Every structure is written in structure tokens, then in C-alpha cells.
Amino acid sequence: MYNELIDKLEKEHTLSKKEYLTLINNREKCQEYLTQRAFAVRNKVFGNKVYIRGLIEVSNYCKNDCYYCGIRRSNKNIQRYRLSADEILSCCDEGYKLGFRTFVLQGGEDNYYTDDFLYELIKDIKRRYPECAVTLSLGERSYNSYKALKEAGADRYLLRHETANFEHYSRLHPKEMDFFNRLACIENLKALGYQVGVGFMVGSPYQTEEDLADEMLFLMQVKPHMVGIGPFISHKDTPFCDFESGRAELTTFMLSLIRLTLPNVLLPATTALGTIDMDGREKGILAGANVLMPNLSPSFAKKNYLLYDNKICTGDEAAMCIECLKQRIKKTGCEITVSRGDYKNEL
Ligand code: SAM
Ligand code: FES
């Protein structure tokens, strides 16, 4: 029965909430088959290629106070930093030499990065590397800000919705954070022509299996170009320090459901997955993921951009990281490719 549901999902790219829930609730019984089908679909759409994105953690200042996040404004136990335009450009230089053709600028919501600052920075990156894609992940900004950054040349934007359930959102965030504004931002980004990534944490506090089924319906409705999911991992200096972290098995199960629902979506095997399970990123690729986001940040940034405890690869050089990933990915039968790896509409 479960395998039939999985076959139906592969064929039709959609299930009802009840059907998704049946699979999620009975995941031990069908994970193996689901993984096989998701890997096959991934290979049919993308061959054995894995895209790499160079992640640059531009700032750990944040005006928000998300209960789960290690760089929330109330955490007084971290050393705050922000990278200058020159520092960001030298990360891009290093990344370019290592074969990266996408740079992801990610950070807390830091007012230091005004539209003017980012406009000039994006223009500079594009001038130096016209063949590279620029992805931003800088949180909620106004329509006009997203518009200006798109005009500067930004190609993609990652803004995880965190949860598709309003009630759940309000348990993960303080009152001043507005679920509907986040959704409006996602709509604005789509309307402006960005390739848009959404996403959520697996196993975040108070999340139910029904919420996970709702996540699938949300993704079908939004049809994002990218979906970033990873396990919630607790951080010792947050209000959620005592909550259990999410599980690798459930994360890879969700990755596979996403691959069958949105066959051509760009789907990272995240660092959080590699943190919760030593072989998590390989397992993610085998479950249908096709993107990796190694860290290009300078070492002082890596050491202080700690969203959760025990984050991996915080001491490694980017060159070492990419070598390590190449070896890991080889074991899955896939290989890392030097290309922008844009979203393609056609299957
Ligand atoms: N400020 C930007 C934003 O809000 O989209 C980007 C940076 S934010 C730190 C990036 C993502 O990290 C969040 O969307 C969240 O899903 C994830 N994250 C934060 N804390 C985490 C935790 N404790 N465990 C796993 N993921 C976490
Ligand atoms: Fe702002 Fe996490 S609270 S990035």
C-alpha cells in the first residue's frame, strides 16, 4: 500500500494531506523504497551531478530573536562580526578559483547592509564574475529593496518560511515576527523574478507529523525553485536549548517526498544534516538532494556564525572542505559539477 502511494506520487507529483500523512506516519516501512525512487528521479532530471554553492556568512548581527537560532539578538554569548564589501569580494575570489559559480550571501537581519551597500556589492560581484549567480539570504526586506537588489543583478533568494502553520510559527518566534509578512516576502520575490527558495526545519519544537504533511501541501502551492530543509538542532544559548534535535532519518524522508513532489527542484543536503549525522550529506544526496553549500566564509566568521551546537566544518579551509565533499559524494555515485546550476522549468 505504501509503495503504491509512492508510485502514485512519482507519477502525479501530488498526494492528498491524508496520503502524505500516511507515508510520514509509516516511514519505517517505506523509507527504503521512497529513497530509491527519489534517487532515480533525481538522476533522471539532473544526471549524477551535484551543484555546489559557495556560502558566505556575511554577518551574525541580527535584529530578530527567533527562539531556535544561535545568532538571535538576545544571545550575549557570541562575538558579533560583519564582513566588509572587500572581505566578501575576496571570499568570492577564493570561491571562483575553487570552481564555485554561485555565491550565497547569507546573514542575520543586519541593518548595516543597506540597499545602497548591497546594490554596489552585487554589481561588483557581477562585474568580476559575469557568469556566476548571486543568491541572497538576508531575511525579510521591503518589496523595493528586493527590487533594487534584483536590478543590481541578484539571481536568487533563499527565505525559509520555517513552518507553514501559523500557530506553529508563533511558537517558534516572538510576537513581533509576522508569519504573513514572511509569506508576502516570498510572493514579492517570486513576482520580481527571483529563483526563490523556501524551507523549514525538521523536528523543530512543537512540530507534528501533520505539520509535515502540511509542509508538502504548502510546497505544492508555492512551487519554489529551491527548498532548504535540515534538522532543527538545539543551541545552548537559546530558549530552545532543552529541546531534542530533529532526526536525520526524518529529514532524508522529507527530502525524498520533496523530490517526488517537485522533481526539478534544487534541493540541498544541508550542513545541519551533516551535523546531526556524520554521513548526513551523503544520505541526503542518496535521498534525492542535488545541492551542497560549502562554506567560503573567513575562519573568524565560521567560528561565530553558529546557528546551532556542534556545527561541522567550522575550522576547515574552503579548499579542504571541497576536497572532503568530493570524496564523500563520489561514494554516492554522484559528482560535483562546476556550473551555475539554475532552475530549469522543463523536466
Ligand atoms: N536571516 C536570514 C533569514 O531569516 O532567512 C538567513 C539566516 S537564518 C540563520 C538561516 C536559516 O537557519 C533559518 O531560516 C533557519 O531555518 C536555520 N536555523 C536557524 N537556527 C537553526 C537551528 N537551531 N537548527 C537548524 N537550523 C536553524
Ligand atoms: Fe536572525 Fe537567526 S534570529 S538569523
Side-chain angles (χ1 to χ4, degrees):
M1 170 201 177
Y2 307 122
N3 289 7
E4 280 155 27
L5 275 183
I6 292 167
D7 289 340
K8 180 175 167 196
L9 178 59
E10 179 176 348
K11 212 160 121 213
E12 298 174 11
H13 314 306
T14 173
L15 292 178
S16 67
K17 177 170 172 180
K18 200 167 150 219
E19 290 169 325
Y20 277 119
L21 192 55
T22 301
L23 289 179
I24 294 166
N25 279 333
N26 294 283
R27 53 191 179 274
E28 288 86 8
K29 298 179 197 125
C30 58
Q31 182 141 23
E32 204 178 317
Y33 184 64
L34 177 67
T35 305
Q36 273 174 28
R37 294 319 309 150
F39 189 66
V41 167
R42 188 216 99 93
N43 279 351
K44 196 162 84 189
V45 180
F46 296 97
N48 71 342
K49 301 288 180 270
V50 173
Y51 301 115
I52 48 168
R53 321 298 198 194
L55 182 66
I56 305 171
E57 296 159 334
V58 296
S59 168
N60 69 356
Y61 282 90
C62 188
K63 64 172 158 43
N64 294 333
D65 221 9
C66 307
Y67 298 145
Y68 44 83
C69 183
I71 64 171
R72 64 198 299 269
R73 68 163 187 263
S74 294
N75 184 5
K76 305 293 178 228
N77 291 335
I78 59 170
Q79 209 181 326
R80 301 282 172 178
Y81 73 86
R82 57 170 67 94
L83 302 186
S84 66
D86 280 346
E87 284 170 320
I88 295 170
L89 286 166
S90 49
C91 293
C92 297
D93 280 343
E94 189 189 356
Y96 188 83
K97 287 185 203 126
L98 291 169
F100 289 92
R101 295 297 176 265
T102 292
F103 304 117
V104 183
L105 276 43
Q106 190 186 80
E109 287 191 21
D110 181 356
N111 288 334
Y112 177 83
Y113 295 104
T114 60
D115 293 346
D116 289 345
F117 179 103
L118 291 170
Y119 188 91
E120 288 310 319
L121 175 64
I122 295 163
K123 281 263 183 209
D124 266 354
I125 298 174
K126 285 288 187 171
R127 228 176 275 129
R128 288 190 195 200
Y129 308 110
E131 75 273 44
C132 290
V134 171
T135 303
L136 302 176
S137 178
L138 301 169
E140 295 172 33
R141 302 177 75 94
S142 68
Y143 178 89
N144 283 338
S145 171
Y146 290 149
K147 184 164 180 278
L149 305 183
K150 184 84 183 58
E151 282 162 8
D155 303 277
R156 310 180 188 139
Y157 206 103
L158 305 177
L159 187 71
R160 290 184 178 188
H161 58 289
E162 312 297 359
T163 169
N165 175 331
F166 171 73
E167 298 287 328
H168 186 215
Y169 189 91
S170 63
R171 302 184 85 175
L172 300 180
H173 302 94
K175 268 201 193 66
E176 75 261 14
M177 292 187 67
D178 181 356
F179 176 67
F180 295 104
N181 189 55
R182 201 148 183 103
L183 298 188
C185 285
I186 291 168
E187 281 312 311
N188 288 342
L189 289 163
K190 278 176 73 181
L192 286 163
Y194 281 92
Q195 292 174 47
V196 177
V198 300
F200 55 92
M201 290 176 288
V202 176
S204 58
Y206 313 112
Q207 185 183 63
T208 62
E209 270 132 353
E210 200 180 328
D211 289 333
L212 288 172
D214 279 329
E215 292 302 342
M216 297 309 303
L217 301 191
F218 177 86
L219 294 179
M220 280 197 300
Q221 195 192 325
V222 174
K223 295 191 176 44
H225 307 97
M226 307 169 279
V227 180
I229 69 163
F232 156 75
I233 303 178
S234 63
H235 184 293
K236 60 181 183 356
D237 298 318
T238 63
F240 287 166
C241 57
D242 291 329
F243 279 92
E244 234 184 86
S245 296
R247 299 286 160 101
E249 293 68 33
L250 182 53
T251 307
T252 54
F253 192 85
M254 294 309 296
L255 282 172
S256 298
L257 285 184
I258 295 170
R259 171 59 64 211
L260 294 189
T261 305
L262 303 168
N264 40 0
V265 80
L266 292 154
L267 193 60
T270 55
T271 304
L273 183 54
T275 298
I276 208 75
D277 180 324
M278 246 174 58
D279 302 322
R281 285 166 300 176
E282 294 89 312
K283 288 179 184 167
I285 298 293
L286 289 169
N290 66 330
V291 174
L292 290 168
M293 295 171 68
N295 201 328
L296 290 178
S297 314
S299 68
F300 68 89
K302 273 185 195 155
K303 286 191 181 72
N304 289 301
Y305 195 85
L306 300 178
L307 308 178
Y308 44 80
D309 290 336
N310 305 317
K311 187 176 169 201
I312 53 168
C313 309
T314 52
D316 300 341
E317 293 283 315
M320 264 163 61
C321 251
I322 190 85
E323 249 340 285
C324 160
L325 281 178
K326 271 186 190 155
Q327 295 312 320
R328 285 172 176 272
I329 295 318
K330 215 164 144 188
K331 288 187 222 142
T332 66
C334 296
E335 63 179 23
I336 285 173
T337 175
V338 174
S339 86
R340 274 175 57 120
D342 283 300
Y343 180 82
K344 294 185 189 74
N345 261 315
E346 70 283 358
L347 280 182

